[in-house]
Structures are given as structure tokens and as C-alpha cells.
Amino acid sequence: MNRTIENAYRDFPILTGNPDYSYLDNAATTQKPASVLEAIQEYYSGYNANVYRAIHRWGEEATRAYEESRTKTAAFINAPSTRQILFTSGTTDSINLAASSFCRRFISPGDEIILTEMEHHSNLVPWQIQAEHHGAVLRFIPITETGELDLEVLETLWSEKTRLLALTQMSNVLGTVNPVKEITAEAHARGVKVLVDAAQSVPHMRVDVQDLDCDLLAFSGHKMYGPTGIGVLYGKEELLQELPPYRGGGEMIRTVTLEGSEWNELPHKFEAGTPNIAGAVGLGAAIDYLNGWGMEAVEKREAALTALLVEGIRGLKGYTLYGRAPERGGIAAFCREGSHSHDLCSYLDSKGFALRAGHHCAHPLASKLGALSTVRASVSFCNREEEIIHLLETLETAGSELF
Ligand code: PMP
């Protein structure tokens, strides 16, 4: 068999090792190709050492590999410089860093921050914590019937006191892809900064930070075929220069006296302590893997699988699919009339499908939809059409066996 994107699953040991199980929980985390596993193994068994300060060959090699991953990450999202790529432990950590540093520097009591009703808790709770601390007011862009942002209401939310707008590029429940570039231009026209939660977009579409022109952008390694515990915060250089550090410790300082410290240059100012070296190496290998297919090919393949999944669920009797945005990614949240979503999810597991049930860490959105718990299927290019067809058949015949 030729190696094509249609049979990409063969690159993933966990998928080839479990041929009777279909993994459709890619929005929660993705599986790891052999090349990523090998890169991590090679680091630990070949040149494990701490970065920067070691004057020995393993330390130099570890530093080179760590920084090479930063270079690959910058290129992947078209960041102008590696100084703008901060390694964190994931999207949640990136947004906590951004919220804490931004609010300390720019927020005074009464200032306003705009969020949306479709945010993951990771792009909501950090702002709530900071708003409470600094006396900021949070305002929200509501969603429409189709599960898109209501941009007419956004027009009424701007004020002289708006300092920042934070929004997701792709909803982890509805699959909606938001018009981030247009919203960013609107925000900038009013002198408002923009943070993009790209946890669900960077793994599935070409994301170009210079084209979006966003000020800050966060994503996770583990959702893009890399390991857990590594993530990225991208920021515009002048903004990162102005932000105070988030955590203190080794490597983020230039000088330290007992009375005070001066900060290191970017990106080190934001990377206190020993970083996740193996995680960064794994992320670099994941980026190489994605580049091997090309993001255009990934997007095309996932669009075909998404259409099959979404149209299929829409056509099933007794099921409700949430979200009807025309611009969407490979995420489908649904309910079955008369069944609890957890029961349906356990049933699907027994039939060989890994899906997810619950509020998907977007409680306010779930309340708004009137469905506190839904079942969510999320695809990746490494899924196969047969898996989706088989899932749809299983959902169709779920009735009698489920009760
Ligand atoms: N934002 C969105 C849109 C997400 O889907 C997720 C993960 N479900 C996160 C943030 C948080 O990512 P992590 O848990 O990797 O920090």
C-alpha cells in the first residue's frame, strides 16, 4: 500500500495496534505518530541533559534540539521571530500567563475585556480570576441560533474602556470557525488587543499569525500529535517586551540581587525553571510530521471526513446536532432523544468507539444550548471513512440495545 493521507493511521502505533477500536476524541487529545515517540525516546536515551548552562556535549545538543523546536514552531505559524514563541505547558498555561501579565500591565479598575459565550473554560476562568483581582468588567459576544458569534451585538460591546478581546478560533463543541482576522481588524481600529485561543485550530488548518494580525495566540502540543505538557504562547514582540514576567525562577533573569532582579531577554523572560525539553523535542517532531503531509492536505482530508460525519448525524432520526455554522471544523456534538449522553457514550465504547460526553469544559455554552451534556465526535486526518460510516450505522441501530 502506498503511503497516502487516507492511510495515515498506519503511522500511529496505538491505532495499528488496536484495529477494532476507533478513536474519535481528537479534540481532547490526538494520538502520537511513531516519529514523535522516537524523537522523545532518542532525547532521553541519546542526549538527556538540562538546557543552556551545561558546558558539555549533551547539554549543547539538548539546547540545540530545544531551540530548533522553537524555530520550527515559529515557522509553522509564520511568527516573524523565535523570540515571540514562548514554551508553556499547554493552552491553559499560555492563557493564564497572558491574562496575568496583560492585566497587571494594562488593566485598571473599570476597564473592560470582551470574551465570547463559546469559550472553553481555559479562555474564561483565567480572565475571571484577573478581572476580580484588577476590577475589570467582562463582556460577552453571544452566539446566534446557528452557533456563530453575533457580530451585530459585538458592535454594541466596544467602549472607551475596552482593552482586550479574547476568543477561540474554533469552538471545541460546535466546531464553528470564527472570523478571527476580521474581528481582530475591528478591535485594532479601536486600539484593543486580541488574544486567540487556537487550541482547536492550529492542529487542523493553516494558522498564520501575521495574516491574522492577532496580538497573542495560544495552543497545545498534545492536540497536534505532540506530547502532553508542552504548549505555546505566541505574542507580538513589542507587547511581550512590555508584559511583566509571569513566574520567577531560573533562566528568566539577567541579574539578581537580594533586593531585586532584572529580566532576561525574550523568550526566556517567560520561561522560568527547567523547561519541558522532551516535550519541546516531541512538538518539533509533531510539526515535522504535519509538514510532511502539508496543512492544506490535512485540511482537505478533514473537511471530507467532517462532511461525512456531520451530514450523517443530521440525517439520523432521533438525534440533534448542535451548531450549523457553514465555516466549521471536524467536531460534532449531538444528543439522542431519550438517552443520557453518558449512557450513549459508554454504549459506543462497548461497540469500539472512543467519543466524549459532558459539557466539554464549556459550561456556559452548554447552558445556552440547553444541553448540559452532549456526545462529541471529533475527527483527525488519521481517521478512516469506514470508521465514520460504522459509527453512523451504530448510532442508527443504537435504540433497542441501549435500553
Ligand atoms: N481551548 C480550547 C478551545 C480547547 O479545546 C482546549 C482543550 N480541550 C483548551 C483550550 C485547553 O487546552 P489544554 O487542556 O491543552 O490546556
Side-chain angles (χ1 to χ4, degrees):
M1 217 196 285
N2 283 341
R3 187 172 174 272
T4 64
I5 198 160
E6 284 75 25
N7 54 41
Y9 74 93
R10 293 192 301 162
D11 295 337
F12 293 75
I14 195 170
L15 300 181
T16 52
N18 295 278
D20 300 327
Y21 199 57
S22 292
Y23 186 75
L24 290 160
D25 195 15
N26 294 285
T29 198
T30 50
Q31 300 302 343
K32 319 305 170 197
S35 58
V36 167
L37 303 176
E38 283 157 14
I40 296 168
Q41 167 80 9
E42 209 176 293
Y43 161 66
Y44 278 126
S45 57
Y47 56 97
N48 173 50
N50 210 332
V51 285
Y52 303 128
R53 287 166 302 274
I55 309 188
H56 54 70
R57 68 190 73 170
W58 289 348
E60 277 163 19
E61 200 174 340
T63 305
R64 187 201 46 75
Y66 183 70
E67 288 303 330
E68 192 175 279
S69 288
R70 202 191 302 276
T71 305
K72 287 176 186 174
T73 307
F76 192 63
I77 59 168
N78 197 28
S81 143
T82 52
R83 290 188 297 280
Q84 296 169 264
I85 300 296
L86 316 182
F87 282 134
T88 65
S89 69
T91 306
T92 305
D93 193 30
S94 297
I95 298 176
N96 275 278
L97 185 170
S100 167
S101 294
F102 186 89
C103 291
R104 269 189 294 145
R105 173 69 184 79
F106 293 110
I107 296 291
S108 309
D111 283 348
E112 295 173 9
I113 294 169
I114 300 178
L115 306 172
T116 88
E117 276 183 358
M118 66 167 78
E119 296 313 307
H120 186 281
H121 296 163
S122 293
N123 198 26
L124 174 60
V125 183
W127 300 109
Q128 291 174 341
I129 292 172
Q130 296 303 327
E132 191 187 353
H133 188 75
H134 295 279
V137 178
L138 300 181
R139 313 196 71 184
F140 296 92
I141 311 174
I143 57 161
T144 62
E145 284 261 291
T146 55
E148 293 167 273
L149 295 179
D150 192 332
L151 298 180
E152 283 180 20
V153 176
L154 173 60
E155 289 308 308
T156 68
L157 295 180
W158 304 111
S159 88
E160 291 284 291
K161 296 195 156 252
T162 313
R163 298 284 168 262
L164 180 120
L165 185 154
L167 83 169
T168 186
Q169 191 166 18
M170 189 199 294
S171 164
N172 68 311
V173 179
L174 304 167
T176 309
V177 176
N178 290 321
V180 166
K181 185 174 172 178
E182 291 71 18
I183 293 174
T184 301
E186 289 280 321
H188 286 171
R190 294 166 172 85
V192 173
K193 301 272 191 252
V194 175
L195 175 139
V196 179
D197 174 349
Q200 297 295 349
S201 51
V202 163
H204 303 290
M205 59 174 75
R206 168 80 57 211
V207 172
D208 178 330
V209 288
Q210 294 190 65
D211 181 52
L212 292 177
D213 199 31
C214 55
D215 301 283
L216 296 157
L217 181 131
F219 56 99
S220 298
H222 72 97
K223 290 186 198 285
M224 53 189 288
Y225 313 96
T228 51
I230 185 81
V232 174
L233 179 66
Y234 155 84
K236 281 195 177 158
E237 188 155 351
E238 311 90 85
L239 177 61
L240 293 180
Q241 294 288 7
E242 277 197 70
L243 295 182
Y246 175 50
R247 293 185 295 129
E251 201 54 47
M252 52 73 72
I253 42 76
R254 180 171 290 135
T255 60
V256 181
T257 64
L258 290 179
E259 289 73 34
S261 306
E262 281 176 29
W263 315 135
N264 201 345
E265 61 202 26
L266 291 173
H268 310 293
K269 179 172 92 174
F270 292 101
E271 293 183 5
T274 299
N276 184 353
I277 305 161
V281 168
L283 175 62
I287 288 173
D288 287 342
Y289 179 75
L290 280 168
N291 284 337
W293 294 119
M295 288 312 286
E296 285 67 25
V298 164
E299 233 180 289
K300 190 163 162 229
R301 169 74 180 150
E302 291 183 355
L305 293 171
T306 303
L308 189 63
L309 175 71
V310 166
E311 295 311 320
I313 295 175
R314 271 200 198 119
L316 289 176
K317 257 183 81 188
Y319 286 85
T320 307
L321 178 75
Y322 293 90
R324 285 181 279 118
E327 292 294 322
R328 67 176 304 148
I331 291 175
F334 56 92
C335 281
R336 181 180 185 279
E337 216 172 275
S339 304
H340 193 285
S341 61
H342 282 92
D343 294 339
L344 181 57
C345 209
S346 306
Y347 170 77
L348 291 171
D349 178 67
S350 75
K351 295 289 178 186
F353 300 96
L355 277 75
R356 175 161 291 246
H359 53 61
H360 315 299
C361 297
H363 220 137
L365 174 61
S367 303
K368 172 92 179 208
L369 295 174
L372 277 184
S373 185
T374 53
V375 178
R376 182 184 74 184
S378 46
V379 300
S380 146
F381 63 87
C382 61
N383 285 119
R384 282 160 289 158
E385 279 169 24
E386 308 89 271
E387 293 180 294
I388 293 168
I389 292 166
H390 188 199
L391 171 73
L392 294 168
E393 287 166 356
T394 309
L395 288 172
E396 189 164 28
T397 57
S400 52
E401 279 185 78
L402 192 53
F403 300 104

